[in-house]
Amino acid sequence: MGNKESISASIVQKAEIARVVLMPGDPLRAKAVADKYMSDVVLFNDTRNMLGYTGTYKGKRISVMGHGMGVPSIGIYSQELYSQFGVDAIIRIGSAGGLDMDVEAKDVVIAEAASTNSGYGNAYGIPGQLAACADYEMLEEAVKNARAKNVKFKVGKVYTSDFFYYPQKDLNEKLRDFGHLCVEMETAGLYWTACANGKKALSILSISDHLFKPVALSADERQNGFTDMMEIALDTAVKFAE
């Protein structure tokens, strides 16, 4: 854990964290998920205000915890959860900017793979480019749950960027033309970390704004909305939880 401050090892016991963890970027969204959907909720982490909760959903123990912004941040928290706290699967639940012209605000995107400009994957020492892909079993379950809810969703590749404000003005057009559904900042890091640990990972995203359409959700809508994404993720987690 580096300096042991990411998830407080002196306080957290492995039993307090479920084997499946949902991870939004915003810790307040983690609290919103726990408050709205879970019973018998226990706070297991508040170090650096990166709130983490474990509770019961449909009879299964599930945890939800923030992961912060960017590949390095989700890389820290997911590595610790996988390698030190017995977590088997992580589902990222986050926002993304739409690229595909068929996606709209609040639509759900299930990321089967992530292209990226991040060099984080180079640290694993595999020549060339290390593919960042979802766990297929989890992806298949999420698709099933999305269809059951009869919500608008798409499955495909996303783009994980180290930049929120990218200096090259034509990048978004290139990403769209190469078939990326949306752009966000963490999925590739999560998928690489899961692969390195032999664990499962999936990223389920909600479109908060669009790079080619005049639409954007408010901060409150991003924090407390995205009900479809959250419920698909929770129902997917149930299959892999204890």
Side-chain angles (χ1 to χ4, degrees):
M1 277 195 193
N3 61 10
K4 303 293 183 182
E5 291 183 355
S6 301
I7 307 172
S8 180
S10 63
I11 298 173
V12 175
Q13 302 297 318
K14 287 186 179 181
E16 294 177 336
I17 302 179
R19 300 183 75 84
V20 180
V21 181
L22 273 58
M23 298 197 80
D26 184 350
L28 292 180
R29 187 179 296 153
K31 184 178 187 302
V33 171
D35 289 346
K36 183 172 182 177
Y37 293 105
M38 295 181 178
S39 59
D40 304 317
V41 174
V42 175
L43 174 69
F44 69 77
N45 188 70
D46 60 3
T47 303
R48 298 184 178 181
N49 289 324
M50 195 57 73
L51 303 175
Y53 302 87
T54 296
T56 301
Y57 175 78
K58 295 187 176 179
K60 297 295 185 71
R61 290 181 72 252
I62 295 170
S63 293
V64 57
M65 177 182 170
H67 61 60
M69 293 181 66
V71 169
S73 185
I74 197 171
I76 292 169
Y77 289 111
S78 60
Q79 174 64 31
E80 292 179 357
L81 289 170
Y82 283 138
S83 66
Q84 300 182 35
F85 291 95
V87 170
D88 292 328
I90 294 174
I91 303 175
R92 163 162 153 68
I93 49 173
S95 58
L99 293 169
D100 186 273
M101 297 307 292
D102 289 335
V103 301
E104 305 288 346
K106 296 187 178 180
D107 283 0
V108 173
V109 169
I110 304 172
E112 67 176 331
S115 303
T116 184
N117 57 22
S118 174
Y120 194 88
N122 296 337
Y124 295 110
I126 295 179
Q129 297 182 3
L130 179 61
C133 300
D135 176 80
Y136 180 77
E137 188 179 10
M138 294 189 78
L139 186 147
E140 187 177 41
E141 182 70 13
V143 169
K144 183 189 77 174
N145 292 323
R147 285 175 174 157
K149 284 183 61 63
N150 196 31
V151 302
K152 186 181 176 187
F153 75 97
K154 295 195 83 169
V155 179
K157 60 180 174 285
V158 306
Y159 189 79
T160 298
S161 179
D162 279 348
F163 294 84
F164 190 84
Y165 301 105
Y166 197 76
Q168 295 183 20
K169 302 302 182 183
D170 62 344
L171 175 64
N172 293 327
E173 286 83 358
K174 291 179 180 178
L175 295 176
R176 176 197 62 198
D177 294 345
F178 273 77
H180 296 88
L181 299 178
C182 59
V183 59
E184 50 83 76
M185 299 184 71
E186 291 87 20
T187 295
L190 173 61
Y191 286 1
W192 282 328
T193 306
C195 180
N197 285 276
K199 300 296 181 76
K200 295 178 178 293
L202 181 65
S203 187
I204 304 176
L205 308 166
S206 279
I207 302 301
S208 59
D209 59 288
H210 203 287
L211 281 302
F212 302 105
K213 299 179 184 181
V215 58
L217 302 180
S218 68
D220 183 68
E221 287 176 311
R222 295 179 191 216
Q223 179 178 309
N224 299 309
F226 299 156
T227 300
D228 290 336
M229 170 186 69
M230 294 174 185
E231 293 178 356
I232 292 168
L234 283 162
D235 289 340
T236 300
V238 165
K239 179 172 180 178
F240 302 93
E242 293 179 319

